[in-house]
Coordinates of all heavy atoms in Angstrom, one line a residue:
M1 N 12.7 25.4 165.0 CA 12.6 25.2 166.4 C 12.0 24.0 166.7 O 11.1 23.4 166.0 CB 11.7 26.4 166.8 CG 12.2 27.8 166.7 SD 13.8 28.1 167.5 CE 13.3 28.1 169.2
P2 N 12.5 23.3 167.7 CA 11.8 22.1 168.1 C 10.5 22.2 168.8 O 10.3 23.2 169.4 CB 12.8 21.3 169.1 CG 13.6 22.5 169.6 CD 13.6 23.6 168.5
T3 N 9.7 21.2 168.7 CA 8.4 21.3 169.4 C 8.7 21.0 170.9 O 9.8 20.7 171.3 CB 7.5 20.1 168.9 OG1 8.1 18.9 168.9 CG2 7.0 20.4 167.4
E4 N 7.6 21.1 171.7 CA 7.9 21.0 173.1 C 8.4 19.5 173.5 O 9.2 19.4 174.5 CB 6.7 21.3 173.9 CG 6.3 22.8 173.9 CD 5.2 23.2 174.8 OE1 5.0 22.4 175.8 OE2 4.5 24.2 174.5
D5 N 7.9 18.5 172.8 CA 8.4 17.2 173.1 C 9.7 16.8 172.5 O 10.3 15.7 172.8 CB 7.3 16.2 172.7 CG 6.9 16.2 171.3 OD1 7.7 16.9 170.5 OD2 6.0 15.5 170.9
G6 N 10.2 17.8 171.6 CA 11.4 17.6 171.0 C 11.5 16.5 169.9 O 12.5 16.1 169.4
L7 N 10.3 16.0 169.4 CA 10.2 15.0 168.4 C 10.1 15.5 167.0 O 10.4 14.8 166.0 CB 9.2 14.0 168.7 CG 9.3 13.2 170.1 CD1 7.9 12.3 170.2 CD2 10.5 12.4 170.0
C8 N 9.8 16.8 166.9 CA 9.6 17.4 165.5 C 10.2 18.7 165.5 O 10.5 19.3 166.5 CB 8.1 17.5 165.2 SG 7.3 15.8 165.2
L9 N 10.3 19.3 164.3 CA 10.8 20.7 164.1 C 9.6 21.5 163.6 O 8.7 21.0 162.8 CB 11.9 20.7 163.2 CG 13.1 20.0 163.7 CD1 14.2 20.1 162.5 CD2 13.7 20.6 164.9
T10 N 9.5 22.7 164.0 CA 8.4 23.6 163.5 C 9.2 24.8 162.8 O 10.3 25.1 163.2 CB 7.6 24.1 164.6 OG1 8.4 24.8 165.5 CG2 6.8 23.0 165.2
G11 N 8.5 25.4 161.8 CA 9.0 26.6 161.2 C 10.0 26.3 160.1 O 10.7 27.3 159.7
I12 N 10.3 25.0 159.9 CA 11.2 24.6 158.8 C 10.5 24.0 157.7 O 9.8 23.1 157.9 CB 12.3 23.8 159.3 CG1 13.2 24.6 160.4 CG2 13.2 23.3 158.2 CD1 14.3 23.9 161.0
E13 N 10.7 24.4 156.5 CA 10.1 23.9 155.3 C 11.2 23.1 154.5 O 12.1 23.6 154.1 CB 9.5 25.0 154.4 CG 8.5 24.5 153.5 CD 7.9 25.8 152.8 OE1 7.5 26.8 153.5 OE2 7.8 25.7 151.6
V14 N 10.8 21.8 154.3 CA 11.7 21.0 153.6 C 11.4 21.0 152.1 O 10.3 20.7 151.7 CB 11.8 19.5 154.0 CG1 12.7 18.6 153.1 CG2 12.1 19.4 155.5
V15 N 12.2 21.6 151.2 CA 11.9 21.9 149.9 C 12.0 20.7 149.0 O 11.2 20.4 148.1 CB 12.6 23.1 149.3 CG1 12.4 23.4 147.9 CG2 12.4 24.4 150.2
S16 N 13.1 19.9 149.3 CA 13.4 18.8 148.5 C 12.7 17.5 148.6 O 13.0 16.5 147.9 CB 14.9 18.6 148.4 OG 15.3 18.2 149.8
G17 N 11.9 17.5 149.7 CA 11.2 16.2 150.0 C 11.8 15.5 151.2 O 12.4 16.1 152.0
K18 N 11.7 14.2 151.1 CA 12.3 13.4 152.3 C 13.7 13.4 152.3 O 14.3 13.2 151.2 CB 11.6 12.0 152.2 CG 10.6 11.6 153.2 CD 9.9 10.3 152.8 CE 10.8 9.1 152.6 NZ 10.2 7.9 152.6
L19 N 14.2 13.5 153.5 CA 15.7 13.3 153.6 C 15.9 11.7 153.8 O 15.2 11.0 154.5 CB 16.2 13.9 155.0 CG 16.2 15.4 155.0 CD1 16.6 15.9 156.4 CD2 17.1 16.0 153.9
T20 N 16.9 11.2 153.1 CA 17.3 9.8 153.2 C 18.7 9.7 153.6 O 19.6 10.6 153.3 CB 17.0 9.1 151.8 OG1 17.9 9.6 150.9 CG2 15.6 9.2 151.4
V21 N 19.1 8.5 154.1 CA 20.5 8.1 154.4 C 21.3 8.2 153.1 O 22.4 8.8 153.1 CB 20.6 6.9 155.2 CG1 22.1 6.5 155.4 CG2 19.9 7.0 156.5
E22 N 20.7 7.6 152.1 CA 21.5 7.5 150.9 C 21.7 9.0 150.3 O 22.9 9.3 149.9 CB 20.6 6.8 149.8 CG 21.3 6.9 148.4 CD 20.3 6.4 147.4 OE1 19.3 5.9 147.7 OE2 20.7 6.2 146.1
G23 N 20.8 9.8 150.3 CA 21.0 11.2 149.9 C 22.1 11.9 150.7 O 22.9 12.7 150.1
E24 N 21.9 11.8 152.0 CA 22.9 12.5 152.8 C 24.4 11.9 152.6 O 25.3 12.7 152.6 CB 22.5 12.4 154.3 CG 21.3 13.1 154.6 CD 21.3 14.6 154.3 OE1 22.1 15.3 154.7 OE2 20.3 15.1 153.5
L25 N 24.5 10.7 152.6 CA 25.8 10.0 152.3 C 26.3 10.5 150.9 O 27.5 10.7 150.8 CB 25.8 8.6 152.3 CG 25.5 8.0 153.7 CD1 25.4 6.5 153.6 CD2 26.7 8.4 154.7
N26 N 25.5 10.5 149.9 CA 25.9 11.1 148.6 C 26.3 12.6 148.7 O 27.4 12.9 148.1 CB 24.8 10.9 147.5 CG 24.6 9.5 147.1 OD1 25.5 8.7 147.4 ND2 23.4 9.1 146.5
K27 N 25.7 13.3 149.4 CA 26.1 14.7 149.6 C 27.4 14.9 150.3 O 28.3 15.7 149.9 CB 25.0 15.6 150.3 CG 23.9 15.9 149.5 CD 23.0 17.0 150.1 CE 22.2 16.4 151.4 NZ 21.3 17.3 151.9
L28 N 27.5 14.0 151.3 CA 28.8 14.1 152.2 C 30.0 13.7 151.2 O 31.0 14.3 151.2 CB 28.7 13.1 153.3 CG 30.0 13.0 154.1 CD1 30.4 14.3 154.8 CD2 29.8 11.9 155.2
A29 N 29.8 12.6 150.4 CA 30.9 12.2 149.5 C 31.3 13.2 148.5 O 32.3 13.5 148.2 CB 30.5 10.8 148.9
S30 N 30.2 13.8 148.0 CA 30.4 14.8 146.9 C 31.1 16.0 147.6 O 32.0 16.6 147.0 CB 29.0 15.2 146.3 OG 29.2 16.3 145.4
N31 N 30.7 16.5 148.8 CA 31.4 17.6 149.4 C 32.8 17.3 149.7 O 33.6 18.2 149.5 CB 30.6 18.0 150.7 CG 29.2 18.6 150.4 OD1 29.0 19.1 149.4 ND2 28.4 18.6 151.4
I32 N 33.1 16.1 150.2 CA 34.6 15.8 150.5 C 35.3 16.0 149.2 O 36.4 16.4 149.2 CB 34.6 14.4 151.1 CG1 34.1 14.5 152.5 CG2 36.1 13.9 151.1 CD1 33.8 13.1 153.2
S33 N 34.9 15.3 148.1 CA 35.5 15.3 146.9 C 35.8 16.7 146.3 O 36.9 17.1 145.9 CB 34.8 14.4 145.9 OG 34.8 13.1 146.2
T34 N 34.7 17.6 146.4 CA 34.8 18.9 145.8 C 35.8 19.7 146.6 O 36.6 20.6 146.1 CB 33.5 19.6 145.5 OG1 32.8 19.6 146.8 CG2 32.7 18.9 144.5
R35 N 35.7 19.5 147.9 CA 36.6 20.4 148.9 C 38.1 19.9 148.5 O 38.9 20.8 148.5 CB 36.3 20.1 150.3 CG 34.9 20.6 150.8 CD 34.6 21.9 150.2 NE 33.3 22.3 150.7 CZ 32.1 22.2 150.0 NH1 32.1 21.6 148.9 NH2 31.0 22.7 150.5
R36 N 38.3 18.7 148.2 CA 39.7 18.4 147.9 C 40.2 19.0 146.7 O 41.3 19.4 146.6 CB 39.8 16.8 147.9 CG 39.7 16.2 149.2 CD 39.5 14.6 149.2 NE 40.6 14.1 148.3 CZ 41.5 13.3 148.8 NH1 41.4 12.8 150.1 NH2 42.5 12.8 148.1
D37 N 39.3 19.0 145.7 CA 39.6 19.7 144.4 C 39.9 21.2 144.7 O 40.8 21.8 144.1 CB 38.5 19.6 143.5 CG 38.3 18.2 143.0 OD1 39.1 17.3 143.0 OD2 37.1 18.0 142.4
W38 N 39.0 21.9 145.5 CA 39.2 23.3 145.8 C 40.5 23.5 146.5 O 41.2 24.6 146.3 CB 38.0 23.8 146.5 CG 36.8 24.0 145.7 CD1 36.6 23.8 144.4 CD2 35.4 24.2 146.3 NE1 35.3 23.9 144.0 CE2 34.5 24.1 145.2 CE3 34.9 24.4 147.5 CZ2 33.2 24.3 145.4 CZ3 33.6 24.5 147.7 CH2 32.8 24.5 146.7
A39 N 40.9 22.7 147.3 CA 42.1 22.9 148.2 C 43.4 22.5 147.3 O 44.4 22.5 147.9 CB 42.0 22.0 149.4
A40 N 43.2 22.0 146.1 CA 44.3 21.6 145.2 C 45.0 20.4 145.7 O 46.1 20.2 145.4 CB 45.2 22.8 145.0
V41 N 44.3 19.6 146.5 CA 44.9 18.4 146.9 C 44.7 17.3 145.8 O 45.7 16.5 145.6 CB 44.1 17.9 148.2 CG1 44.6 16.5 148.6 CG2 44.3 18.8 149.3
D42 N 43.7 17.4 145.1 CA 43.5 16.5 143.9 C 43.1 17.2 142.7 O 42.7 18.4 142.8 CB 42.3 15.5 144.3 CG 42.6 14.4 145.2 OD1 43.9 14.0 145.1 OD2 41.7 13.9 145.9
Y43 N 43.2 16.6 141.6 CA 42.7 17.1 140.3 C 41.2 16.8 140.2 O 40.8 15.9 140.8 CB 43.5 16.6 139.1 CG 44.9 17.1 139.1 CD1 45.9 16.2 139.4 CD2 45.3 18.3 138.8 CE1 47.2 16.5 139.4 CE2 46.6 18.8 138.8 CZ 47.6 17.8 139.0 OH 48.9 18.2 139.1
F44 N 40.6 17.6 139.4 CA 39.0 17.3 139.2 C 38.8 15.9 138.7 O 37.9 15.2 139.0 CB 38.4 18.4 138.3 CG 36.9 18.2 138.2 CD1 36.0 18.4 139.3 CD2 36.3 17.6 137.1 CE1 34.7 18.3 139.2 CE2 34.9 17.4 137.0 CZ 34.2 17.8 138.0
T45 N 39.8 15.5 137.8 CA 39.6 14.1 137.4 C 39.5 13.0 138.4 O 39.1 11.9 138.2 CB 40.8 13.8 136.3 OG1 41.9 14.0 136.9 CG2 40.5 14.7 135.1
N46 N 40.1 13.3 139.5 CA 40.1 12.3 140.6 C 38.8 12.2 141.3 O 38.6 11.4 142.2 CB 41.2 12.6 141.6 CG 42.6 12.4 141.1 OD1 42.8 11.8 140.0 ND2 43.6 13.0 141.6
Y47 N 37.8 13.2 141.1 CA 36.5 13.3 141.8 C 35.8 12.0 141.7 O 35.5 11.4 142.8 CB 35.8 14.4 141.1 CG 34.5 14.6 141.6 CD1 34.1 15.4 142.8 CD2 33.3 13.9 141.0 CE1 32.9 15.5 143.3 CE2 32.0 14.2 141.4 CZ 31.8 14.8 142.5 OH 30.6 15.0 143.0
I48 N 35.6 11.4 140.5 CA 34.9 10.1 140.4 C 35.6 9.0 141.2 O 35.0 8.2 141.9 CB 34.7 9.8 138.9 CG1 33.9 10.8 138.3 CG2 34.1 8.4 138.8 CD1 32.4 11.1 138.9
E49 N 36.9 9.0 141.0 CA 37.7 7.8 141.7 C 37.5 7.9 143.2 O 37.4 7.1 143.9 CB 39.1 7.9 141.2 CG 39.3 7.5 139.8 CD 38.6 6.1 139.4 OE1 38.9 5.2 140.3 OE2 38.1 5.9 138.4
S50 N 37.6 9.2 143.7 CA 37.5 9.4 145.2 C 36.1 9.1 145.6 O 36.0 8.5 146.7 CB 37.9 10.8 145.6 OG 37.0 11.8 145.0
L51 N 35.1 9.3 144.8 CA 33.7 8.9 145.2 C 33.7 7.4 145.3 O 33.0 6.8 146.2 CB 32.7 9.2 144.2 CG 32.3 10.8 144.2 CD1 31.4 11.1 143.0 CD2 31.8 11.2 145.5
H52 N 34.2 6.6 144.3 CA 34.3 5.2 144.4 C 35.0 4.6 145.7 O 34.6 3.7 146.3 CB 34.7 4.6 143.1 CG 33.8 4.7 141.9 ND1 32.6 4.2 141.9 CD2 34.0 5.5 140.8 CE1 32.0 4.5 140.7 NE2 32.8 5.3 140.2
M53 N 36.1 5.3 145.9 CA 37.0 4.9 147.1 C 36.1 5.2 148.4 O 36.1 4.4 149.2 CB 38.2 5.7 147.1 CG 39.0 5.4 148.3 SD 40.6 6.3 148.5 CE 39.9 7.9 148.8
E54 N 35.5 6.3 148.5 CA 34.7 6.7 149.7 C 33.5 5.7 149.8 O 33.1 5.3 150.9 CB 34.2 8.1 149.6 CG 35.4 9.1 149.8 CD 35.0 10.5 149.2 OE1 33.8 10.7 148.8 OE2 35.8 11.3 149.2
K55 N 32.9 5.2 148.7 CA 31.9 4.2 148.7 C 32.3 2.9 149.3 O 31.7 2.4 150.2 CB 31.4 4.0 147.3 CG 30.3 2.9 147.2 CD 30.0 2.6 145.8 CE 31.2 1.9 145.2 NZ 31.1 1.5 143.8
Q56 N 33.6 2.5 148.9 CA 34.1 1.3 149.4 C 34.4 1.3 150.9 O 34.2 0.4 151.7 CB 35.3 0.8 148.7 CG 35.1 0.5 147.3 CD 34.2 -0.7 147.2 OE1 34.3 -1.7 148.0 NE2 33.4 -0.7 146.2
I57 N 34.9 2.5 151.3 CA 35.1 2.8 152.8 C 33.9 2.8 153.6 O 33.7 2.1 154.6 CB 35.8 4.1 153.0 CG1 37.3 4.0 152.4 CG2 35.9 4.5 154.5 CD1 38.0 5.3 152.3
A58 N 32.8 3.4 153.0 CA 31.5 3.4 153.7 C 30.9 1.9 153.8 O 30.4 1.6 154.8 CB 30.5 4.4 153.0
I59 N 31.0 1.2 152.8 CA 30.5 -0.2 152.8 C 31.3 -1.0 153.9 O 30.7 -1.8 154.5 CB 30.6 -0.9 151.4 CG1 29.5 -0.2 150.4 CG2 30.4 -2.3 151.4 CD1 29.8 -0.6 149.0
G60 N 32.5 -0.8 153.9 CA 33.3 -1.5 154.9 C 33.0 -1.2 156.3 O 32.9 -2.0 157.2
I61 N 32.8 0.2 156.5 CA 32.3 0.6 157.8 C 30.9 0.0 158.3 O 30.7 -0.5 159.3 CB 32.2 2.1 157.9 CG1 33.7 2.6 157.9 CG2 31.6 2.5 159.2 CD1 33.8 4.2 157.7
L62 N 30.1 0.0 157.3 CA 28.7 -0.5 157.5 C 28.8 -2.1 157.8 O 28.1 -2.6 158.7 CB 27.7 -0.4 156.3 CG 27.4 1.1 156.1 CD1 26.6 1.2 154.8 CD2 26.4 1.5 157.3
E63 N 29.6 -2.8 157.1 CA 29.8 -4.3 157.3 C 30.3 -4.5 158.7 O 30.0 -5.5 159.4 CB 30.7 -4.8 156.2 CG 30.0 -5.0 154.8 CD 30.9 -5.4 153.7 OE1 32.2 -5.2 153.9 OE2 30.5 -5.9 152.8
E64 N 31.3 -3.7 159.1 CA 32.0 -3.8 160.4 C 31.0 -3.5 161.6 O 30.9 -4.3 162.5 CB 33.2 -3.0 160.6 CG 34.3 -3.4 159.8 CD 35.6 -2.5 159.8 OE1 35.4 -1.4 160.5 OE2 36.5 -2.8 159.2
Q65 N 30.2 -2.4 161.3 CA 29.2 -2.1 162.4 C 28.1 -3.0 162.5 O 27.6 -3.2 163.6 CB 28.7 -0.6 162.0 CG 29.6 0.4 162.2 CD 30.1 0.6 163.6 OE1 29.3 0.6 164.5 NE2 31.3 0.7 163.9
K66 N 27.7 -3.7 161.3 CA 26.6 -4.6 161.4 C 26.9 -5.8 162.3 O 26.0 -6.3 163.0 CB 26.2 -5.1 159.9 CG 25.1 -6.1 159.9 CD 24.8 -6.5 158.5 CE 23.6 -7.4 158.4 NZ 23.9 -8.7 158.6
I67 N 28.2 -6.2 162.3 CA 28.6 -7.3 163.2 C 28.3 -7.0 164.6 O 28.0 -7.9 165.5 CB 30.0 -7.7 163.0 CG1 30.2 -8.2 161.5 CG2 30.6 -8.7 164.0 CD1 31.7 -8.2 161.1
T68 N 28.4 -5.7 165.0 CA 28.2 -5.3 166.4 C 26.9 -5.3 166.9 O 26.7 -5.2 168.1 CB 29.0 -4.0 166.8 OG1 28.2 -3.0 166.0 CG2 30.5 -3.9 166.3
F69 N 25.9 -5.3 166.2 CA 24.5 -5.2 166.5 C 24.0 -6.5 166.8 O 24.2 -7.6 166.3 CB 23.6 -4.6 165.4 CG 24.0 -3.2 165.1 CD1 24.2 -2.7 163.9 CD2 24.0 -2.2 166.1 CE1 24.5 -1.4 163.6 CE2 24.4 -0.8 165.8 CZ 24.6 -0.5 164.6
A70 N 23.0 -6.6 167.9 CA 22.4 -7.8 168.3 C 21.4 -8.3 167.4 O 21.1 -9.4 167.2 CB 21.8 -7.7 169.7
E71 N 20.8 -7.3 166.7 CA 19.6 -7.6 165.8 C 20.2 -8.2 164.5 O 21.2 -7.9 164.1 CB 18.8 -6.3 165.4 CG 18.2 -5.6 166.6 CD 19.1 -4.6 167.2 OE1 20.2 -4.4 166.7 OE2 18.7 -4.1 168.3
N72 N 19.4 -9.1 164.0 CA 19.8 -9.8 162.7 C 19.0 -9.0 161.5 O 17.7 -9.1 161.5 CB 19.3 -11.2 162.8 CG 19.8 -12.0 161.4 OD1 20.6 -11.4 160.7 ND2 19.3 -13.2 161.3
F73 N 19.7 -8.2 160.9 CA 19.0 -7.5 159.8 C 20.0 -7.4 158.5 O 21.1 -7.8 158.5 CB 18.8 -6.1 160.3 CG 20.0 -5.3 160.5 CD1 20.5 -4.4 159.6 CD2 20.6 -5.3 161.7 CE1 21.6 -3.7 159.7 CE2 21.8 -4.6 161.9 CZ 22.3 -3.8 160.9
S74 N 19.4 -7.0 157.4 CA 20.2 -6.7 156.2 C 19.8 -5.5 155.7 O 18.7 -5.0 155.9 CB 20.1 -7.9 155.3 OG 18.8 -7.9 154.8
M75 N 20.6 -4.9 154.9 CA 20.3 -3.5 154.2 C 20.8 -3.7 152.7 O 21.8 -4.3 152.5 CB 20.8 -2.3 154.9 CG 22.4 -2.3 155.0 SD 23.1 -0.9 155.8 CE 22.8 -1.4 157.4
T76 N 20.2 -3.0 151.9 CA 20.6 -3.0 150.5 C 21.2 -1.5 150.2 O 20.4 -0.5 150.4 CB 19.5 -3.2 149.5 OG1 19.0 -4.5 149.9 CG2 20.0 -3.2 148.0
V77 N 22.4 -1.4 149.8 CA 23.0 -0.1 149.5 C 23.1 0.1 148.0 O 23.7 -0.7 147.3 CB 24.4 0.0 150.2 CG1 25.1 1.3 149.9 CG2 24.3 -0.3 151.6
P78 N 22.5 1.2 147.4 CA 22.6 1.4 146.0 C 24.0 2.0 145.7 O 24.6 2.7 146.5 CB 21.5 2.5 145.8 CG 21.3 3.1 147.1 CD 21.6 2.1 148.1
L79 N 24.4 1.6 144.5 CA 25.9 2.0 144.0 C 25.7 3.0 143.0 O 24.7 3.2 142.3 CB 26.6 0.8 143.5 CG 26.7 -0.4 144.5 CD1 27.3 -1.6 143.9 CD2 27.5 0.0 145.8
F80 N 26.8 3.7 142.7 CA 26.7 4.8 141.7 C 26.5 4.3 140.3 O 25.9 5.0 139.4 CB 28.0 5.6 141.6 CG 28.3 6.4 142.8 CD1 29.4 6.0 143.7 CD2 27.4 7.3 143.3 CE1 29.6 6.9 144.9 CE2 27.6 8.1 144.4 CZ 28.8 7.8 145.2
D81 N 26.8 3.0 140.0 CA 26.6 2.5 138.7 C 25.2 1.9 138.4 O 24.9 1.4 137.4 CB 27.6 1.4 138.3 CG 27.5 0.1 139.3 OD1 26.5 0.2 140.2 OD2 28.4 -0.6 139.2
G82 N 24.3 2.1 139.4 CA 22.9 1.7 139.2 C 22.6 0.4 139.9 O 21.5 0.0 140.1
G83 N 23.7 -0.3 140.3 CA 23.6 -1.6 141.0 C 23.4 -1.5 142.4 O 23.1 -0.3 143.0
S84 N 23.5 -2.4 143.2 CA 23.3 -2.4 144.6 C 24.1 -3.5 145.3 O 24.4 -4.5 144.7 CB 21.8 -2.4 145.1 OG 21.3 -3.7 144.7
I85 N 24.4 -3.4 146.6 CA 25.2 -4.4 147.4 C 24.2 -4.7 148.6 O 23.7 -3.7 149.3 CB 26.5 -4.0 147.7 CG1 27.2 -5.1 148.4 CG2 26.5 -2.8 148.6 CD1 28.7 -4.9 148.5
R86 N 24.1 -5.9 149.1 CA 23.4 -6.3 150.2 C 24.4 -6.6 151.3 O 25.4 -7.3 151.2 CB 22.6 -7.6 149.9 CG 21.6 -7.8 151.0 CD 20.7 -8.9 150.5 NE 19.5 -9.2 151.5 CZ 18.5 -8.5 151.6 NH1 18.2 -7.6 150.7 NH2 17.5 -8.9 152.6
I87 N 24.2 -5.8 152.4 CA 25.0 -6.0 153.6 C 24.2 -6.6 154.8 O 23.0 -6.3 155.0 CB 25.5 -4.6 154.1 CG1 26.3 -4.0 153.0 CG2 26.3 -4.8 155.4 CD1 26.8 -2.5 153.3

């Protein structure tokens, strides 16, 4: 339930700790890949390849969106292989 000012939630316990954009994007990519496997659209062996494709799509979207912001900023996006890319 939200608090009266709407800025916080009450009555909810977060078990896994802090929510992060990285964690949520990783869950989204994983869910998309596994659903495609369950729907027999892809084979399980395509799971990893689809994660890398989705990563490239997400990076492209972030790069395109960054251009539209008035603020000058950069972000570092971690990659599945342990590296990172700076946008």
